[in-house]
């Protein structure tokens, strides 16, 4: 074991994140840590690395284990050094050796006969060779290129880059450090598709263990061989990728529900026996014994899915014309950087477009050009009855922090009353007093839901969505994809989430050679087409090799104890008989109560024949109840005996 929890309980304020959790990270593990937003996944990583101390249990770690931890708080780091120098900080010992070798070389020039200096110099050169220190610049450049940096970027100061690019530099440094355990908290949030694909290929061959928090289902499916789910303050471990986890979780929930229902039937049966015979002298001891048995019973929990459901419904007020937007001879440049040059494109009614490509190609810029919030040369021709709604990357920053959630929607010009706005916010998981929370206290995921609510309340028939899945968990991403599939309008979106794109797009746009290229088809069809094009370029005839996929380990269950099928059948027969006897007994007791009411009626005694008949029936019912009680006792004792044998 490299690191892990042993019976750990951790509370964050009054809220329990995990209770009595045990989790060991072994060499070679590729773990996806999943759970709904707000369950405490990031907090759990902080407990793992020692930033937080558990109230109970221990965090176990071997002395030799090294940990690399990529998280959002790292963005507070700032320096004027180049990004290459920051990345090279991973090779602390090599950089130290470089200085020592340089200094020893200078000293040897002055005193080349000093054997002790020569020995130190030789030792340093040997250690440098062992650490492969002469290749660190090549390694750093290779990783930085893989994460999307150009040759021109490598010498630029770190502080010139935005937050997402800074996070890439720190990720590069962490990868180069080669820790035994790499903890990555939402690494794909700051990466474009080419960089995500590069990271996948790199991590598949990574020698250390990896723990990833991510809402990118494609990424987890290709990367992990274990899923650890944080759910209801417990850690549930599945030996497989995300797809395996989804299947196994559904089976586990179904089995738990059946086990719960069977146990509840058993408990009710035992309780009825206790209630029926606790006052009977001959059966009181047995009833007490059954009660003790029930008290010691390990109760199975009911399956209560804490599954938030956003009920997102996009509504249209106007139907637009056939053509929504036409771009003619459009050109956009930032200084020497050309985004689009003499480009042309058209968006039709019913188009659901995913605009994909590497960061820096101008995807967000093109969305702003379409929305009319970015200047450019050329023409943007707006179609008939088109009403757009733009969800921009900076949408979260555009929220007014001093507003409550409800006030934020009141000020967006939707003309909806408070009841309608509260109903809409309820569909985004803000119910009751939640709507009075200030924007400043919300998490990233909550702010994203508020911003999406503002986009949807507009009732636009053309949506422009820039990274709408950032800060959403996987379940919320699925719900948003479902809503977009039901949406009767058109949209164009930018996203690095391949699962989301594959669920929503019927066209793919790319900016290639400063032109807008359109592919009519789904994301998977585009991937397949690209592979065919690559094969044709290379003249390949062999099928394109996929990146290695992690081995899915199916947990091997312990061999069950042999079951005596005959005894089990007999037990089931007697349980059915007992259920029938109980039904008959209840009917007889109801009949007895009714006869007793009739006998209490004075009119009964005015008719001698009727009274005699009623009295005879009453005696017969009492005898039947006594006989049924005897049968019930005998069957119950037999069932208890069989349960001990089976």
């Amino acid at each position: 074991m490299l690191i892990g929890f042993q019976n750990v309980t951790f509370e964050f304020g009054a809220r329990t994140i995990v209770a009595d959790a045990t989790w060991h990270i072994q060499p070679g593990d590729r773990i996806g840590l999943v759970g709904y937003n707000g369950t405490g996944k990031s907090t759990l990583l902080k407990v793992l690395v020692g930033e937080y101390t558990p109230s109970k249990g221990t965090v176990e770690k071997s002395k030799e284990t090294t940990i690399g931890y990529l998280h959002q708080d790292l963005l507070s780091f700032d320096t004027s050094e180049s990004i290459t120098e920051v990345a090279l900080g991973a090779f602390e010992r090599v950089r130290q050796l470089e200085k020592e070798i340089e200094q020893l070389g200078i000293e040897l020039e002055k005193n080349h006969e000093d054997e002790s200096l020569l020995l130190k110099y030789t030792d340093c050169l040997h250690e440098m060779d062992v650490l492969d220190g002469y290749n660190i610049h090549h390694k750093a450049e290779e990783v930085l290129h893989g994460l999307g940096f150009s040759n021109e970027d490598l010498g630029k100061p770190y502080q010139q880059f935005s937050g997402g690019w800074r996070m890439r530099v720190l990720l590069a440094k962490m990868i180069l450090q080669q820790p035994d355990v790499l903890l990555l908290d939402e690494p794909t949030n700051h990466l474009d598709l080419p960089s995500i694909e590069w990271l996948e290929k790199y991590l598949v061959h990574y020698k250390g263990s990896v723990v990833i928090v991510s809402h990118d289902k494609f990424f987890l499916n290709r990367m992990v061989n274990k899923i650890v789910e944080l759910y209801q303050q417990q850690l549930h471990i599945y030996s497989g990728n995300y797809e395996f986890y989804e299947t196994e979780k559904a089976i586990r929930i179904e089995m738990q529900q059946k086990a719960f229902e069977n146990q509840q039937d058993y408990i009710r049966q035992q309780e009825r026996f206790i209630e029926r015979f606790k006052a009977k002298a001959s059966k009181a001891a047995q009833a007490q014994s059954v009660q003790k048995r029930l008290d010691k019973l390990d109760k199975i929990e009911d399956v209560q899915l804490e599954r938030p459901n956003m009920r997102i419904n996009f509504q249209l007020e106007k139907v637009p014309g056939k053509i929504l937007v036409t771009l003619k001879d459009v050109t956009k440049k930032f200084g020497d950087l050309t985004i689009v040059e003499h480009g042309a494109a058209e968006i039709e009614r019913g188009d659901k477009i995913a605009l994909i490509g590497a960061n820096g190609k101008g995807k967000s810029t093109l969305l702003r050009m379409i929305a009319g919030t970015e200047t450019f040369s050329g023409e943007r021709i707006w179609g008939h009855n088109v009403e757009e709604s733009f969800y921009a990357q900076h949408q979260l920053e555009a929220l007014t922090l001093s507003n409550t959630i409800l006030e934020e929607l009141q000020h967006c010009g939707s003309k909806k009353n408070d009841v309608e706005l509260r109903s809409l916010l309820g569909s985004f998981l803000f119910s009751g007093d939640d709507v009075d929370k200030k924007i400043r206290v919300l998490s990233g995921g909550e702010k994203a839901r508020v911003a999406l609510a503002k986009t949807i309340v507009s009732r636009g028939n053309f949506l422009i969505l820039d990274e709408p899945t950032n800060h959403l968990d996987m379940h919320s991403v699925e719900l948003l994809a479902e809503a977009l599939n039901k949406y009767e309008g058109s949209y164009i979106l930018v996203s690095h989430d391949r699962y989301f794109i594959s669920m929503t797009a019927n066209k793919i746009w790319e900016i290639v050679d400063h032109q807008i290229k359109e592919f009519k088809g789904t994301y998977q069809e585009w991937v397949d087409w690209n592979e065919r094009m690559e094969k044709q370029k290379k003249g390949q005839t062999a099928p394109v090799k996929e990146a290695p996929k992690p081995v899915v380990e199916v947990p091997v269950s312990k061999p069950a104890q042999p079951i005596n099928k005959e005894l089990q059948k007999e037990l089931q027969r007697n349980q059915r008989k007992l259920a029938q006897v109980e039904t008959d007994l209840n009917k007889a007791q109801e009949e007895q109560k009714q006869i007793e009411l009739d006998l209490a009626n004075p009119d009964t005694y005015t008719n001698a024949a009727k009274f005699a008949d009623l009295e005879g029936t009453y005696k017969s019912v009492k005898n039947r109840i006594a006989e049924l009680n005897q049968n019930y006792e005998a069957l119950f004792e037999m069932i208890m005996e069989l349960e001990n044998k089976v």
Side-chain angles (χ1 to χ4, degrees):
M1 182 193 75
L2 298 170
I3 189 171
F5 293 154
Q6 190 63 43
N7 305 118
V8 162
T9 296
F10 179 76
E11 293 97 2
F12 199 85
R15 179 170 152 245
T16 300
I17 303 297
V18 283
D20 197 30
T22 296
W23 172 29
H24 296 145
I25 299 171
Q26 306 290 352
D29 276 351
R30 298 282 189 280
I31 298 168
L33 178 59
V34 303
Y36 298 124
N37 273 359
T39 52
K41 302 183 294 295
S42 297
T43 303
L44 205 62
L45 293 184
K46 290 180 179 179
V47 176
L48 202 59
V49 297
E51 287 188 25
Y52 295 145
T53 305
S55 54
K56 292 180 184 175
T58 55
V59 178
E60 299 176 343
K61 173 179 169 289
S62 66
K63 290 181 181 179
E64 297 79 21
T65 299
T66 54
I67 298 172
Y69 176 30
L70 183 82
H71 53 97
Q72 309 307 312
D73 298 343
L74 290 172
L75 289 175
S76 59
F77 170 75
D78 198 11
T79 180
S80 58
E81 288 185 332
S82 71
I83 62 169
T84 303
E85 284 299 311
V86 174
L88 286 171
F91 306 104
E92 192 175 336
R93 177 56 185 155
V94 172
R95 303 309 297 277
Q96 186 183 348
L97 279 170
E98 283 178 340
K99 291 176 183 176
E100 288 180 20
I101 289 168
E102 185 181 355
Q103 184 59 40
L104 286 167
I106 293 169
E107 291 178 21
L108 278 169
E109 282 180 9
K110 296 175 184 176
N111 192 1
H112 59 272
E113 293 181 358
D114 190 327
E115 289 188 9
S116 62
L117 278 177
L118 188 59
L119 186 60
K120 283 182 184 177
Y121 186 72
T122 306
D123 287 344
C124 286
L125 289 176
H126 176 69
E127 188 179 352
M128 191 75 160
D129 192 46
V130 169
L131 294 173
D132 197 21
Y134 301 107
N135 288 318
I136 62 170
H137 288 269
H138 171 70
K139 289 177 181 177
E141 288 174 8
E142 183 183 30
V143 173
L144 288 168
H145 284 150
L147 291 173
F149 292 98
S150 65
N151 284 327
E152 293 75 26
D153 292 330
L154 299 182
K156 291 179 181 177
Y158 173 84
Q159 59 190 195
Q160 283 189 9
F161 291 88
S162 64
W165 288 97
R166 289 186 180 194
M167 191 60 80
R168 292 189 193 207
V169 178
L170 299 176
L171 175 59
K173 179 182 176 181
M174 205 159 290
I175 286 171
L176 290 165
Q177 284 172 330
Q178 297 274 304
D180 298 318
V181 182
L182 197 54
L183 306 178
L184 304 176
D185 194 357
E186 294 288 3
T188 60
N189 268 2
H190 305 285
L191 302 179
D192 51 29
L193 284 176
S195 299
I196 291 172
E197 288 166 359
W198 177 88
L199 184 62
E200 280 177 355
K201 290 172 184 174
Y202 187 91
L203 291 179
V204 161
H205 301 289
Y206 187 71
K207 291 179 182 177
S209 298
V210 184
V211 179
I212 303 165
V213 174
S214 176
H215 66 259
D216 188 328
K217 190 183 288 191
F218 270 43
F219 186 63
L220 289 179
N221 260 339
R222 291 170 66 88
M223 271 305 308
V224 306
N225 54 26
K226 279 185 185 175
I227 292 287
V228 175
E229 181 193 35
L230 177 55
Y231 179 67
Q232 294 181 336
Q233 295 86 49
Q234 300 296 316
L235 294 179
H236 303 276
I237 299 173
Y238 299 81
S239 294
N241 63 8
Y242 190 81
E243 193 174 328
F244 176 86
Y245 147 75
E246 284 189 306
T247 304
E248 286 299 302
K249 183 181 179 181
I251 294 169
R252 179 179 66 80
I253 287 171
E254 185 181 358
M255 289 176 66
Q256 184 181 338
Q257 185 62 36
K258 285 180 180 176
F260 170 77
E261 290 168 0
N262 290 338
Q263 190 182 66
Q264 289 301 303
D265 288 342
Y266 171 78
I267 290 169
R268 282 191 290 269
Q269 189 183 78
Q270 306 291 302
E271 286 174 342
R272 285 194 294 267
F273 178 86
I274 294 164
E275 187 64 30
R276 194 179 300 279
F277 297 115
K278 65 183 178 182
K280 189 174 181 180
S282 62
K283 293 292 177 184
Q286 191 175 3
Q288 193 174 17
S289 173
V290 172
Q291 182 63 62
K292 286 179 181 177
R293 188 171 165 182
L294 271 187
D295 292 340
K296 292 178 182 177
L297 190 66
D298 189 11
K299 299 287 174 62
I300 298 169
E301 293 292 326
D302 190 8
V303 177
Q304 296 176 338
L305 285 178
E306 291 177 357
R307 181 166 162 147
N309 281 306
M310 290 197 297
R311 301 177 302 280
I312 307 172
N313 289 303
F314 297 93
Q315 294 178 316
L316 308 185
E317 286 187 339
K318 295 179 182 177
V319 177
K322 184 182 178 184
I323 306 300
L324 275 68
V325 185
T326 301
L327 298 177
K328 281 188 178 180
D329 195 29
V330 294
T331 297
K332 178 64 185 178
K333 296 182 180 182
F334 292 102
D336 295 332
L337 177 63
T338 301
I339 302 299
V340 182
E341 191 164 26
H342 304 298
E346 201 168 65
I347 299 175
E348 299 179 352
R349 186 176 63 235
D351 278 353
K352 298 187 174 184
I353 301 166
L355 174 56
I356 65 173
N359 281 357
K361 291 287 186 181
K363 300 188 298 296
S364 295
T365 302
L366 182 56
L367 288 192
R368 292 195 300 272
M369 289 165 62
I370 292 168
T373 60
E374 183 74 52
T375 59
F376 60 93
S377 64
E379 285 186 274
R380 183 199 68 155
I381 303 167
W382 215 237
H384 176 66
N385 267 350
V386 175
E387 292 187 348
E388 89 283 5
S389 187
F390 186 21
Y391 178 88
Q393 271 199 51
H394 64 268
Q395 206 81 2
L396 272 63
E397 289 74 21
L399 299 174
T400 306
L401 298 180
S402 59
N403 278 348
T404 65
I405 297 173
L406 183 60
E407 286 169 347
E408 190 68 20
L409 261 73
Q410 288 169 339
H411 297 161
C412 70
S414 69
K415 298 180 182 178
K416 287 182 178 288
N417 61 41
D418 283 2
V419 173
E420 290 172 315
L421 291 176
R422 282 177 178 273
S423 175
L424 176 75
L425 286 169
S427 73
F428 279 85
L429 314 181
F430 297 113
S431 56
D433 295 338
D434 288 343
V435 301
D436 296 320
K437 284 182 180 177
K438 295 284 187 184
I439 300 295
R440 67 165 55 92
V441 304
L442 302 182
S443 67
E446 288 170 327
K447 286 177 182 174
R449 295 204 303 270
V450 174
L452 275 170
K454 286 180 68 177
T455 303
I456 287 165
V457 79
S458 67
R459 302 168 77 99
N461 53 30
F462 176 46
L463 303 180
I464 304 168
L465 307 171
D466 195 359
E467 297 287 6
T469 64
N470 273 3
H471 308 291
L472 296 182
D473 60 28
M474 274 179 280
H475 181 57
S476 298
V477 169
E478 286 181 0
L479 293 170
L480 180 59
E482 287 172 15
L484 287 172
N485 284 331
K486 294 174 186 174
Y487 176 56
E488 294 176 0
S490 308
Y491 55 78
I492 181 168
L493 60 86
V494 168
S495 177
H496 63 264
D497 188 323
R498 291 161 293 178
Y499 173 76
F500 181 66
I501 294 170
S502 67
M503 288 279 286
T504 53
N506 60 19
K507 281 185 181 179
I508 304 296
W509 276 18
E510 276 187 290
I511 302 173
V512 181
D513 298 328
H514 314 306
Q515 296 295 308
I516 303 164
K517 302 293 184 182
E518 180 180 280
F519 176 85
K520 294 180 179 178
T522 64
Y523 177 71
Q524 189 55 52
E525 288 169 342
W526 174 83
V527 170
D528 294 341
W529 175 81
N530 255 340
E531 287 183 352
R532 289 197 300 272
M533 293 302 102
E534 284 298 316
K535 281 168 62 177
Q536 285 178 18
K537 280 181 188 177
K538 294 176 182 178
Q540 292 177 341
T541 53
V544 176
K545 289 184 179 179
E546 293 183 358
K549 294 182 180 178
V551 177
V552 175
E553 299 174 3
V554 179
V556 181
S557 56
K558 293 179 182 177
Q561 294 295 320
I563 295 171
N564 188 319
K565 291 184 179 179
E566 289 303 317
L567 282 177
Q568 196 169 39
K569 285 180 182 177
E570 190 178 348
L571 173 62
Q572 289 169 350
R573 279 196 298 271
N574 281 291
Q575 284 174 332
R576 287 194 293 272
K577 285 180 183 177
L578 183 70
Q580 185 58 53
V581 167
E582 191 168 25
T583 301
D584 295 343
L585 192 56
N586 287 334
K587 285 181 181 177
Q589 286 171 334
E590 287 299 316
E591 189 178 352
Q592 183 185 21
K593 285 178 186 176
Q594 185 57 51
I595 294 171
E596 285 171 348
L597 287 172
D598 291 341
L599 288 171
N601 187 348
D603 293 342
T604 301
Y605 299 94
T606 59
N607 187 328
K610 184 180 178 182
F611 171 73
D613 185 49
L614 202 58
E615 191 176 35
T617 305
Y618 184 69
K619 287 178 182 178
S620 174
V621 168
K622 280 193 74 174
N623 289 336
R624 190 159 79 252
I625 288 172
E627 185 182 342
L628 286 167
N629 269 325
Q630 284 179 351
N631 289 344
Y632 187 93
E633 288 178 40
L635 283 167
F636 192 87
E637 287 176 2
M638 192 178 296
I639 286 169
M640 288 183 69
E641 189 177 332
L642 286 167
E643 280 178 347
N644 290 327
K645 290 179 180 178
V646 172

